[in-house]
Amino acid sequence: MANNSPALTGNSQPQHQAAAAAAQQQQQCGGGGGGATKPAVSGKQGNVLPLWGNEKTMNLNPMILTNILSSPYFKVQLYELKTYHEVVDEIYFKVTHVEPWEKGSRKTAGQTGMCGGVRGVGTGGIVSTAFCLLYKLFTLKLTRKQVMGLITHTDSPYIRALGFMYIRYTQPPTDLWDWFESFLDDEELCML
C-alpha cells in the first residue's frame, strides 16, 4: 500500500486541499455562478486572513487611534459587544457616515493648507462611530468569510463600506485588487 502523505510525495498540500483550491480558482475565473467572487486564497491561509502592517494599530493614523481608544463609546458600549453579529447590528443601527471625525467636532478655524480641515487629521476631534466600530472589527480578528459577509451585506451600505475599509487597512496591498475588482461599478457604494 502506497503512502501518499504530503511529506512523502513532496506536495505541500494534501490532494483534497489542492483540488479545493483549483475549484475556487476556476470559480473566480468565471466557472462559478453569478455574484461577487472571492479573492484568491493565498498560501495555506484558507479562511484565516493575514494581517498586513502593524498588528496593534491596524495601520490607523495615531491621532485617530488615540481618539478611538480613549472614546467612551469604544471603551464602554463596544467593549460589551463580543461577537461579529453584534458588531454588524451596531453598524446597522449607529453608523450614519464613514468619515473619521464627527461633524462639527474639529476645530479648524484659522488653519490653512494641509491643516485646514480639508485633508488629514491635523487637530482631531470626536472620533466617529464608524471608525470605533472599524477598530472593534479589527479586535475580533475577522475571518475571510466574515469579511465577505460585510462587503456583500444587503441591509446597509455602511456595513459594506466598513468591510471595504477593514480590507484597506488590514490586507496586503498586493491583495487589494482581488478584493475590490468586482465591486468597482457598485452604484450603492458610489453614493456614500
Side-chain angles (χ1 to χ4, degrees):
M1 181 167 142
N3 187 343
N4 291 328
S5 72
L8 296 177
T9 61
N11 293 336
S12 61
Q13 294 181 317
Q15 288 178 335
H16 69 280
Q17 287 179 343
Q24 183 176 8
Q25 186 176 8
Q26 179 183 7
Q27 181 180 7
Q28 290 173 351
C29 295
T37 59
K38 293 181 182 178
V41 178
S42 55
K44 302 175 188 172
Q45 293 151 356
N47 200 31
V48 176
L49 283 174
L51 287 178
W52 177 80
N54 191 312
E55 294 184 9
K56 293 185 182 192
T57 68
M58 197 180 106
N59 305 312
L60 287 170
N61 175 284
M63 186 175 289
I64 291 175
L65 182 61
T66 299
N67 280 297
I68 289 170
L69 296 175
S70 63
S71 162
Y73 176 65
F74 182 79
K75 291 192 304 189
V76 179
Q77 284 113 334
L78 294 186
Y79 177 78
E80 295 179 10
L81 303 182
K82 303 295 184 198
T83 69
Y84 164 81
H85 295 290
E86 289 173 329
V87 176
V88 170
D89 287 345
E90 186 77 0
I91 296 168
Y92 180 81
F93 289 111
K94 300 287 183 168
V95 175
T96 58
H97 66 87
V98 290
E99 305 216 0
W101 307 108
E102 290 299 339
K103 187 174 182 173
S105 69
R106 295 184 61 213
K107 309 250 187 300
T108 58
Q111 296 179 348
T112 60
M114 291 294 283
C115 295
V118 177
R119 294 182 47 110
V121 290
T123 60
I126 298 171
V127 71
S128 71
T129 302
F131 269 73
C132 288
L133 285 159
L134 177 64
Y135 193 75
K136 179 63 179 185
L137 289 170
F138 175 71
T139 66
L140 296 176
K141 305 295 184 221
L142 299 183
T143 64
R144 186 174 306 277
K145 182 177 178 182
Q146 289 171 325
V147 173
M148 283 302 296
L150 291 173
I151 64 177
T152 59
H153 208 283
T154 57
D155 291 344
S156 167
Y158 297 114
I159 295 170
R160 297 181 69 203
L162 283 178
F164 286 111
M165 289 169 59
Y166 183 88
I167 293 166
R168 172 61 186 90
Y169 280 104
T170 66
Q171 295 304 289
T174 55
D175 294 349
L176 295 181
W177 180 257
D178 293 332
W179 282 102
F180 295 156
E181 180 181 19
S182 62
F183 296 95
L184 292 177
D185 293 328
D186 191 310
E187 292 182 17
E188 183 178 52
L189 292 173
C190 293
M191 293 180 176
L192 287 178

